Amino acid sequence: MDQDKINGADRRAFLQAGAIAAAAASGLTRSGEAHAQAQAITEPAQKSPEIPRRKLGKTGVEITMLDQGAVRGASLDRVLRFSFAAGVRTFDTAKIYGSEPNFKAWFEKSPEVRKQIFLVTKDSPRTPGQMLKMVDERLATLGTDYIDLFFVHGFGDHHSVDDAIKFIAGDEFKEVADKIRKSGKAKFLGFSSHNKNRAPIIQAAAEAGIVDAIMLQYTPWLEKDSALNKALDVCWKKNVGLISMKQIAGRGFGDQPKGNILDEVVRRVPTLAEKKLSPFQGLLHAIWTDERISSVCVSMRNTDQIRENTDAARRFEPLKTADIHQLRDAFIAQGQMMCADCDGRCAVAAGTKAELGDLTRYLTYHQHHGLRADARRQYAELSAEARDWSNADLAAAQEACPNKLDFAKLLPEVDRRLA
Ligand code: SF4
């Protein structure tokens, strides 16, 4: 799209459509959606065949290509059941999401479900030894006697890179992981990470070979020579399973959609119309085109998203690189706010010590992921220097960012919402 030709109203509408598209792939919610979602979820679910599966690395377990993220929300119980009925068999929760009790209630009412799903949960140990107690706590909260995959949550956020590597590649972690696997309380172990330093951490973890799987903030247009892409190659070689999360997030500061502007995305990416894919189905296909990724974790919030995404999984065919690049350009044009492929080059270009990628990520949590308190807490934990972008060259930061984040618009919002 030629950005210069868009008038103000059209541009706002396009950005909002982008946020809708991104919602299906990243679990966004928008103000005003709640009523429509509640209505949609009251429809009876038709039982559908399971969606396609991929092997999750060395676990040998074939998990569904779509993974229902379970961030708490008013309709979560019905969403979980709808997702199951639509064929999803991989479910992702965490202590911090507050949604584990929803699973407990589900298993109590429908005990047959537990064995049919691959259940992932997470907690945040500072040392490997803390994991033993944490696994027990998660089991009690979930109301099950085993977890399929236990992740160290947000790995890298509370450790230096060196400490994180010592943790994940060290003897203590190996001993604890072996003990937990042997106990049967968690069959497999790994970590999730969106940290800007996740590339060296993921690479070191894959080389050490202790973890079974990793869930990472991912984008289907990773630069070929980027450290993250190379780290994923090591995972693939070492048979460490990979799950994609937080693949993209759009801007949404309350504008209402005007007109069917998703047509504009379809215009920019002709393969979408040819394959009868929506923009967000195209995004899922772009991610699955990377055979290293076993599953995509999406916090689907309503039945429309579940139907659309499960349909995408059933109709998956790899996209051509040129199509993925067109999709990338279309999504970037709609104004992302999530830092999705982050080595911190924006801050270097801007000449600041402020953590520009983290700041925009926390804003995304606040605005789109329903994690307001958590976003504020993480913002508060940053040093004053990491929060102070006042002398940053924001135009240079935007220019350097592969996702062209509009820092001049986003950072004042960070201060307004999170400070
Ligand atoms: S340049 Fe963009 S993608 Fe990279 S760290 Fe900064 S915000 Fe994130």
Side-chain angles (χ1 to χ4, degrees):
M1 174 174 22
D2 183 347
Q3 293 286 313
D4 294 328
K5 288 185 185 156
I6 307 171
N7 65 31
D10 285 347
R11 178 168 169 74
R12 277 196 304 280
F14 179 75
L15 294 175
Q16 189 61 48
I20 298 166
S26 65
L28 316 186
T29 53
R30 297 177 300 122
S31 59
E33 266 191 330
H35 179 64
Q37 289 177 4
Q39 277 193 324
I41 289 167
T42 55
E43 296 168 17
Q46 297 297 313
K47 190 158 172 55
S48 308
E50 288 185 27
I51 61 174
R53 294 172 179 256
R54 281 185 176 174
K55 195 177 285 183
L56 184 66
K58 66 174 93 164
T59 73
V61 179
E62 300 217 324
I63 64 170
T64 48
M65 288 165 66
L66 202 56
D67 175 356
Q68 169 73 56
V71 174
R72 64 183 167 266
S75 305
L76 181 62
D77 288 333
R78 283 169 291 173
V79 164
L80 294 178
R81 286 158 178 76
F82 238 99
S83 200
F84 183 85
V88 177
R89 294 291 182 270
T90 309
F91 288 82
D92 179 282
T93 181
K95 177 185 180 182
I96 201 168
Y97 298 166
S99 58
E100 289 174 326
N102 299 73
F103 285 90
K104 185 174 188 176
W106 191 16
F107 299 151
E108 281 170 2
K109 196 152 189 200
S110 310
E112 72 284 1
V113 166
R114 174 64 196 94
K115 283 211 165 57
Q116 295 180 53
I117 67 170
F118 188 86
L119 181 61
V120 185
T121 193
K122 323 181 196 74
D123 204 343
S124 305
R126 298 294 195 272
T127 63
Q130 294 174 344
M131 289 166 53
L132 293 160
K133 187 162 169 268
M134 287 177 170
V135 167
D136 285 336
E137 288 169 358
R138 307 279 49 82
L139 289 174
T141 312
L142 283 161
T144 180
D145 55 6
Y146 72 99
I147 296 159
D148 290 286
L149 177 56
F150 177 84
F151 277 145
V152 179
H153 199 169
F155 196 50
D157 288 357
H158 304 290
H159 298 83
S160 66
V161 178
D162 284 351
D163 287 347
I165 290 173
K166 275 185 206 143
F167 181 127
I168 213 70
D171 290 343
E172 189 189 357
F173 178 64
K174 182 168 183 354
E175 267 172 44
V176 171
D178 286 345
K179 197 167 177 181
I180 292 172
R181 287 190 197 103
K182 209 168 167 189
S183 72
K185 291 177 179 177
K187 292 184 176 176
F188 307 108
L189 291 104
F191 63 89
S192 68
S193 186
H194 41 230
N195 190 270
K196 71 177 182 184
N197 296 315
R198 64 196 182 285
I201 297 171
I202 289 171
Q203 178 150 346
E207 283 166 352
I210 304 167
V211 297
D212 301 296
I214 296 168
M215 181 159 78
L216 74 150
Q217 188 184 343
Y218 171 85
T219 171
W221 34 86
L222 274 181
E223 291 172 13
K224 189 169 175 291
D225 294 326
S226 68
L228 187 56
N229 199 44
K230 289 179 179 169
L232 300 192
D233 279 341
V234 179
C235 290
W236 179 247
K237 198 169 152 209
K238 299 279 187 179
N239 212 11
V240 173
L242 294 172
I243 299 172
S244 166
M245 67 167 172
K246 297 177 180 168
Q247 18 288 316
I248 197 167
R251 184 185 293 164
F253 295 129
D255 292 343
Q256 294 302 310
K258 292 178 180 116
N260 188 9
I261 43 188
L262 289 175
D263 287 351
E264 183 58 29
V265 181
V266 174
R267 189 189 67 74
R268 291 179 67 115
V269 190
T271 194
L272 295 178
E274 287 159 19
K275 296 187 171 185
K276 296 190 170 48
L277 296 172
S278 69
F280 27 93
Q281 288 181 316
L283 179 61
L284 287 169
H285 281 207
I287 297 168
W288 288 320
T289 298
D290 185 341
E291 61 183 350
R292 300 171 300 184
I293 302 295
S294 298
S295 186
V296 180
C297 184
V298 185
S299 292
M300 295 173 281
R301 304 293 187 121
N302 60 52
T303 51
D304 285 346
Q305 288 179 0
I306 293 168
R307 286 194 188 104
E308 192 151 13
N309 291 353
T310 52
D311 174 59
R314 291 194 177 89
R315 294 197 292 124
F316 168 66
E317 288 174 1
L319 294 184
K320 294 188 185 125
T321 305
D323 295 333
I324 292 174
H325 288 165
Q326 286 175 348
L327 205 55
R328 173 197 62 195
D329 295 344
F331 275 105
I332 286 174
Q334 58 86 23
Q336 286 195 67
M337 65 191 289
M338 171 74 107
C339 157
D341 176 14
C342 178
D343 59 10
R345 71 189 73 167
C346 48
V348 175
T352 178
K353 296 264 193 277
E355 296 284 357
L356 304 186
D358 282 347
L359 293 171
T360 54
R361 186 156 55 84
Y362 299 158
L363 181 64
T364 310
Y365 294 169
H366 186 275
Q367 296 297 98
H368 290 307
H369 292 179
L371 297 169
R372 295 188 165 214
D374 199 44
R376 285 202 195 95
R377 177 186 59 75
Q378 295 198 59
Y379 176 86
E381 285 174 4
L382 288 175
S383 68
E385 192 178 46
R387 292 195 297 247
D388 180 11
W389 52 270
S390 55
N391 292 319
D393 181 343
L394 300 185
Q398 183 173 15
E399 183 56 32
C401 176
N403 295 308
K404 302 294 173 218
L405 298 200
D406 188 348
F407 295 102
K409 288 216 168 103
L410 294 170
L411 292 172
E413 285 295 322
V414 170
D415 288 356
R416 201 158 74 79
R417 311 261 179 183
L418 304 182

